[in-house]
Amino acid sequence: MKGTLTLITCSLLILLFSYTAVSKLIDLDGFAYDMHNQPFPRWFSSTLVYLLPVMELLIAGLLFSNRTRAMGLWVAGMLMTFFTVYTCLVLLKVFYKVPCSCGGVIKRLNWQQHLFFNLFFVALIFLTIRFNRSKNIHA
């Protein structure tokens, strides 16, 4: 059971993070435009334009290897938690502008759908971590 859950979770996350990173890199100008319209200082948005796709690909790589899978799950969980908190703040109308800067078809989700999408992955990640806490993760 643990191995199956870990394999499914890691496979879904590898697909998710690889897809969104490649989508952002393919349309880097569009992604940069969306990031510069976020409610962040320009220097931070400019950094995220390059940092997010690299982080997403790094997470996918960590999840791919048995030796780094546990670290990959934790980093994926933290990043998805950050995205979820940001989505909650958007839904609470904390920011004056909120363009979606996600990659690919995920960009077409509305903010409520983003919240449920993110919550699903956060729950799946931390459930997988919990089930594998007592021993090394091997799928």
Side-chain angles (χ1 to χ4, degrees):
M1 175 67 175
K2 288 180 186 181
T4 303
L5 177 63
T6 302
L7 181 62
I8 290 169
T9 301
C10 290
S11 297
L12 288 172
L13 290 169
I14 289 168
L15 285 171
L16 173 65
F17 285 122
S18 297
Y19 172 74
T20 56
V22 169
S23 296
K24 289 170 186 166
L25 293 171
I26 287 172
D27 184 22
L28 193 59
D29 290 338
F31 177 57
Y33 177 81
D34 289 341
M35 285 305 298
H36 288 117
N37 283 307
Q38 295 291 333
F40 307 131
R42 186 161 179 85
W43 67 267
F44 187 64
S45 296
S46 294
T47 302
L48 289 178
V49 166
Y50 299 101
L51 184 62
L52 280 176
V54 169
M55 281 181 58
E56 291 168 337
L57 291 173
L58 177 64
I59 290 168
L62 290 170
L63 293 168
F64 195 74
S65 170
N66 286 343
R67 298 180 77 204
T68 57
R69 190 161 289 151
M71 183 187 337
L73 283 168
W74 277 105
V75 176
M78 289 186 290
L79 188 60
M80 288 303 297
T81 299
F82 171 78
F83 289 154
T84 303
V85 169
Y86 178 75
T87 302
C88 288
L89 293 173
V90 168
L91 288 169
L92 292 170
K93 300 181 187 313
V94 171
F95 306 117
Y96 63 95
K97 55 182 178 178
V98 289
C100 178
S101 56
C102 298
V105 296
I106 296 169
K107 186 175 187 157
R108 295 187 181 134
L109 298 176
N110 65 37
W111 288 106
Q112 291 82 11
Q113 292 167 332
H114 269 290
L115 179 62
F116 288 111
F117 183 85
N118 291 353
L119 287 172
F120 168 78
F121 277 100
V122 168
L124 185 62
I125 291 165
F126 287 110
L127 181 67
T128 302
I129 289 170
R130 174 132 166 86
F131 278 172
N132 287 287
R133 198 163 81 186
S134 62
K135 58 189 278 190
N136 291 337
I137 297 174
H138 297 288

